[in-house]
Amino acid sequence: MLALSAGIIFLLCAFTATVPKGVEVNGIAVGGMPRSQAAALVRRSVEESLKEKKLEIIGEEKTYTFTYPEIYYKDNVYELLKNAKKGDKLESETSFYLCGLNSIAPNICRNESLSVVEPHYKFSSVSEPFTYFEGSDGKVVDEKKLIDDIKSSLNGGFEPVTLSFKTVKRQKSLKEVKKSTALLCTFTTRFDSSNITRTSNIRLASNKLNGAVLESGKTLSFNDIVGPRVKERGFLPAKIIEKGEFIEGVGGGVCQVSTTLYNAALLSGLEIVEYHPHSLAVGYVPPSRDAMVSGTYFDLKIKNPFSSPVFIRAATVGGKVSFSIYGLGSGAKYSLSSEVTGSIPAPEETCDSPDKAKTGKDGLTSEGYLTVTRGGYTKRVLIRKDKYAPVKHIVYEELSADPTEQPEEGAASDN
């Protein structure tokens, strides 16, 4: 108990200890006052002076202003009073700081910084395929300098702090952007525009593919994009190939669209993942250059092997359907050729009516080649072998009379 009482008395004495007579701190007479009262008096003077000050941080379009108590201080007043001697004239060491500086500075930097806008393009399915934009350099505030300048201002004359910016340059050029959207190939096939239903089917299918973007490493499915060729989706009856014959069917002409895209893809350096030849040769491309699509089982699939996207534009006008493919490409040049390697004679049969007669067509075997030229070297690659069935001739033969048959009595005979 005696020890506890002594401790309490010591603390009370320390708390109520008075400042020696004649002591001044920052020009304020505090002699004879309890230390806590003296410290509060000195600090009140500092705070009153601080209330009249402000810190301004000047950005390009905004000024950030901070005042007391956002600006606060630290001092050694109590230490001075504790060690003061009679008659001392003392000056406290007072330093000012911005509360939350480590979060305020980054926030200001984010507000004032401007992100880089790289040169870029906008792809369109109408009019010009690409619109190009120059972009702009960015800027960031020098955060370290901002913090240093704030500290210097608060412990100097509270001078305004002006933000310092660093320019962030664009990484790409507009020339590079345009190179990544260069025209790789345009391929066109022709059709009879007077065939209204077939023309409508070609236009409908090509419009669905127009504007497609094939990202790097991705595969395009013709069937997924064009969808089922049914009346409910706007497709009309026209000639199709079925079971080795040309017959009327919904969606006739769509295979010309897939064939045109197939050739454009090969000539652009894209990878053909899936294709199917027709059972009969078609007239709008040479043999071994067609790509039939049917239902959901026979598809045309094209993969982008390049490191950047490719862009597809399609147009149907004036009896022509065209596909144009844009992208960075491989730097190689491509060409297609085909060779007929054999003939398959068309069978012939007779019919008993002129209406059933039909001109046939020999079938053939063929090979398709892709020629690749890169760095001055040319390589010709066999990419497919095909067999197209013949279309049989159906000949009308009029039955002649039996030469042994005698004319009826009274009937005239030929001379």
Side-chain angles (χ1 to χ4, degrees):
M1 290 294 293
L2 288 174
L4 178 61
S5 298
I8 294 173
I9 292 169
F10 175 79
L11 290 172
L12 289 172
C13 290
F15 185 75
T16 59
T18 58
V19 179
K21 291 182 179 181
V23 173
E24 293 182 6
V25 178
N26 298 344
I28 300 173
V30 293
M33 293 183 182
R35 287 178 189 166
S36 58
Q37 181 181 348
L41 181 62
V42 173
R43 287 169 174 164
R44 191 178 307 120
S45 173
V46 172
E47 290 172 9
E48 290 300 321
S49 174
L50 184 55
K51 288 177 183 178
E52 298 177 358
K53 297 180 179 181
K54 62 182 178 180
L55 169 67
E56 289 186 334
I57 301 175
I58 302 172
E60 289 200 338
E61 297 184 3
K62 182 178 179 179
T63 297
Y64 306 83
T65 303
F66 301 91
T67 58
Y68 174 85
E70 296 169 296
I71 302 172
Y72 211 66
Y73 64 94
K74 295 184 293 185
D75 61 34
N76 65 340
V77 169
Y78 201 83
E79 192 68 23
L80 286 178
L81 295 173
K82 182 179 177 181
N83 298 313
K85 294 180 176 59
K86 183 178 179 179
D88 281 349
K89 312 297 183 187
L90 305 171
E91 292 291 332
S92 67
E93 295 178 3
T94 303
S95 61
F96 301 96
Y97 62 90
L98 180 60
C99 299
L101 175 60
N102 289 334
S103 60
I104 289 173
N107 285 338
I108 292 175
C109 292
R110 279 192 292 271
N111 290 341
E112 293 288 328
S113 295
L114 186 65
S115 298
V116 172
V117 179
E118 295 289 350
H120 58 284
Y121 57 81
K122 182 179 179 181
F123 177 53
S124 173
S125 61
V126 296
S127 188
E128 290 296 318
F130 296 96
T131 303
Y132 295 98
F133 302 89
E134 288 277 0
S136 58
D137 292 337
K139 61 178 182 179
V140 294
V141 178
D142 188 336
E143 185 175 334
K144 182 179 182 305
K145 187 174 187 303
L146 171 60
I147 292 173
D148 290 343
D149 288 349
I150 288 173
K151 291 178 179 179
S152 296
S153 173
L154 293 178
N155 293 287
F158 278 70
E159 301 86 356
V161 173
T162 301
L163 297 178
S164 296
F165 293 90
K166 295 178 181 178
T167 299
V168 182
K169 294 290 187 181
R170 285 162 281 186
Q171 297 298 305
K172 295 188 294 185
S173 68
L174 189 59
K175 182 178 179 181
E176 290 175 299
V177 171
K178 289 184 175 181
K179 185 178 179 181
S180 70
T181 57
L183 176 63
L184 301 179
C185 166
T186 295
F187 187 79
T188 301
T189 60
R190 298 178 180 275
F191 58 88
D192 180 7
S193 59
S194 66
N195 187 331
I196 303 301
T197 57
R198 192 171 188 278
T199 299
S200 177
N201 291 336
I202 290 174
R203 180 175 290 110
L204 180 56
S206 63
N207 284 347
K208 291 180 180 296
L209 290 154
N210 184 36
V213 179
L214 186 54
E215 299 292 340
S216 173
K218 299 298 182 180
T219 298
L220 173 151
S221 164
F222 184 96
N223 284 342
D224 285 351
I225 295 178
V226 175
R229 277 73 78 184
V230 293
K231 290 181 180 179
E232 292 78 5
R233 301 185 68 248
F235 290 95
L236 303 175
K239 290 290 186 183
I240 62 172
I241 299 174
E242 186 173 298
K243 296 180 180 179
E245 294 186 359
F246 289 96
I247 64 170
E248 195 81 1
V250 176
V254 171
C255 287
Q256 182 163 353
V257 177
S258 59
T259 292
T260 308
L261 177 59
Y262 167 81
N263 280 263
L266 283 172
L267 292 169
S268 299
L270 301 179
E271 180 183 335
I272 305 301
V273 176
E274 178 183 345
Y275 82 94
H276 302 274
H278 289 85
S279 57
L280 303 177
V282 295
Y284 41 82
V285 288
S288 289
R289 290 181 60 176
D290 59 321
M292 178 270 292
V293 290
S294 180
T296 58
Y297 300 102
F298 297 93
D299 199 0
L300 170 65
K301 292 183 178 179
I302 300 167
K303 183 177 180 180
N304 175 9
F306 306 137
S307 59
S308 59
V310 293
F311 309 88
I312 298 173
R313 284 283 298 266
T316 304
V317 60
K320 296 186 290 186
V321 56
S322 299
F323 277 92
S324 296
I325 297 180
Y326 302 83
L328 182 60
S330 66
K333 299 294 183 182
Y334 302 90
S335 63
L336 288 168
S337 60
S338 66
E339 294 180 3
V340 175
T341 55
S343 177
I344 305 172
E348 183 175 305
E349 67 178 43
T350 60
C351 65
D352 58 3
S353 170
D355 295 334
K356 297 179 181 179
K358 185 166 58 176
T359 302
K361 183 180 180 181
D362 288 347
L364 57 89
T365 57
S366 62
E367 296 176 346
Y369 292 87
L370 178 68
T371 300
V372 184
T373 301
R374 180 185 283 110
Y377 296 94
T378 297
K379 184 178 181 180
R380 188 170 184 252
V381 181
L382 174 66
I383 58 173
R384 56 188 283 186
K385 293 183 177 183
D386 299 291
K387 180 180 180 180
Y388 299 96
V391 178
K392 63 183 174 183
H393 299 282
I394 301 177
V395 181
Y396 167 63
E397 288 189 0
E398 184 176 4
L399 295 177
S400 58
D402 188 340
T404 63
E405 184 178 342
Q406 297 296 318
E408 292 181 5
E409 186 177 345
S413 61
D414 293 334
N415 292 324

